[in-house]
Amino acid sequence: MVIRREKTNTCGTICLKYLLFLFNVLFWLAGGAVLAVGVWTVAAKSDYISLLNSTFYSTSAYILIATGTIVVVTGLIGCCATLRESRVLLGVYFVLLFCIFLLEIIAGVMAYMNHQKLDHELRQNLRRTMQHKYQQPGEADITQAVDKLQMEFQCCGSNSSLDWSGSIWILVPGNDRMVPDSCCKTPIAYCGRRDHPSNIYKGGCIAKLEEFILSQLHILGAVGIGIAFIQLLGMMLTCCLYQNLKEEIY
C-alpha cells in the first residue's frame, strides 16, 4: 500500500496555513535579531567581558548566538512544513519550538539566580583588576579594556579616581602620573599628571558598568519573554494545522 497525503483545502486550513507561515517569517526575523545581538555583544563589547572574572556575561552572549541560530533554522523548517503541509515536519517543528521554549525558561531562571552573584563579583574584581593588571606585562587586553571603559563611560577608577593611588603601575618609580590618561576629560599624553576635577572624571566606573550590564540583561529578558509568548502562539497554530491535515490510505 502507498500512503499519500491529501491536502485539505478548507477555508480553516488555508487560514491556518497562512497564519503559521506569517508566524514563521516573524519567528525567523526574531531569531536573526537575537543572533545579531549575540554577535554584537561578543564583537563590540568583548573588551568589557575581559574585565569580568565571571564567565556569566560571555556565556550569555554565546547562548544568544546559539539560540538565534537554532531559531533561524527552526523558522526555515516551519516554513517548509507549512508550504508542503507535511505532518512529519510539523511534528518536528513543534518539538523544536517546545525545546527552545524550555531553554528560554531555564536561561531566564539562571539569569535571575546569578544576577546578584554577578553584581558581587563585579564589585570585588574590577578594582583589583585595575590596580594589579593595568599596564602590566602580558595584560595588554586588560589595559585596552580599562582605557576604553573609562573613556566611553566618562569615569575613573572602580569606585572613584582615588582607586588609582594603589595601582602597581602608578607606584612605579619615575611614573609621575596620578591617574591613567584615559581618565582625562580631554585625553592627551601625560594629562594624567593632574587629578584636579577640572581635568579628570572623579566618578568611578563600577556603577556605570553595572548599569550597562543590567540594561543589556533587561533588554534580553524582554526580548526573551516576547519571543516566548510568540512561540506559544506558534505551537497552538502548529497543533491546529496538524489536526486539520488528513492522511488517506490507497
Side-chain angles (χ1 to χ4, degrees):
M1 287 187 296
V2 179
I3 299 177
R4 296 181 180 177
R5 186 177 311 283
E6 180 181 327
K7 296 180 181 179
T8 55
N9 294 317
T10 63
C11 181
T13 301
I14 294 173
C15 288
L16 282 171
K17 179 178 176 180
Y18 283 106
L19 280 174
L20 188 56
F21 182 80
L22 177 61
F23 163 81
N24 280 306
V25 172
L26 294 175
F27 191 58
W28 186 83
L29 291 175
V34 171
L35 177 61
V37 170
V39 172
W40 172 79
T41 301
V42 172
K45 302 302 176 182
S46 58
D47 290 336
Y48 299 154
I49 292 174
S50 67
L51 295 176
L52 305 175
N53 287 351
S54 172
T55 59
F56 174 72
Y57 191 69
S58 58
T59 301
S60 300
Y62 288 114
I63 287 176
L64 277 179
I65 294 174
T67 302
T69 303
I70 293 172
V71 168
V72 168
V73 173
T74 302
L76 292 175
I77 293 174
C79 288
C80 292
T82 304
L83 293 175
R84 296 184 61 184
E85 298 185 12
S86 168
R87 296 185 76 187
V88 174
L89 285 178
L90 283 173
V92 172
Y93 178 60
F94 178 86
V95 170
L96 288 173
L97 280 180
F98 184 71
C99 290
I100 294 172
F101 182 74
L102 288 180
L103 287 174
E104 286 172 344
I105 293 176
I106 293 171
V109 171
M110 288 179 62
Y112 178 79
M113 292 176 61
N114 285 279
H115 167 258
Q116 294 298 330
K117 181 181 177 182
L118 177 64
D119 182 64
H120 178 69
E121 287 184 354
L122 183 60
R123 287 186 173 275
Q124 273 194 328
N125 296 324
L126 185 60
R127 181 179 178 181
R128 184 165 56 248
T129 297
M130 286 181 167
Q131 290 184 337
H132 294 272
K133 295 185 178 181
Y134 185 80
Q135 291 289 7
Q136 297 305 301
E139 301 292 354
D141 290 341
I142 295 293
T143 300
Q144 181 182 354
V146 170
D147 286 336
K148 182 178 179 181
L149 175 69
Q150 293 188 143
M151 288 189 289
E152 276 198 15
F153 289 115
Q154 298 182 345
C155 56
C156 186
S158 178
N159 296 300
S160 73
S161 59
L162 297 176
D163 290 337
W164 286 109
S165 61
S167 167
I168 294 176
W169 173 67
I170 292 292
L171 297 175
V172 171
N175 184 6
D176 56 355
R177 288 183 178 86
M178 304 186 75
V179 293
D181 294 339
S182 56
C183 282
C184 299
K185 295 179 179 179
T186 305
I188 56 175
Y190 300 104
C191 64
R193 290 172 174 172
R194 293 178 59 248
D195 62 351
H196 192 274
S198 63
N199 183 51
I200 68 168
Y201 298 108
K202 284 292 187 178
C205 297
I206 187 70
K208 294 186 177 182
L209 185 57
E210 283 179 341
E211 183 181 346
F212 167 76
I213 292 176
L214 281 177
S215 68
Q216 297 301 302
L217 292 177
H218 288 158
I219 292 173
L220 296 180
V223 170
I225 291 172
I227 292 178
F229 277 109
I230 294 175
Q231 283 177 252
L232 288 175
L233 174 62
M235 285 188 282
M236 288 188 290
L237 289 174
T238 302
C239 288
C240 291
L241 183 58
Y242 184 90
Q243 292 297 323
N244 275 269
L245 295 177
K246 298 178 181 180
E247 291 182 345
E248 293 188 359
I249 299 177
Y250 291 88

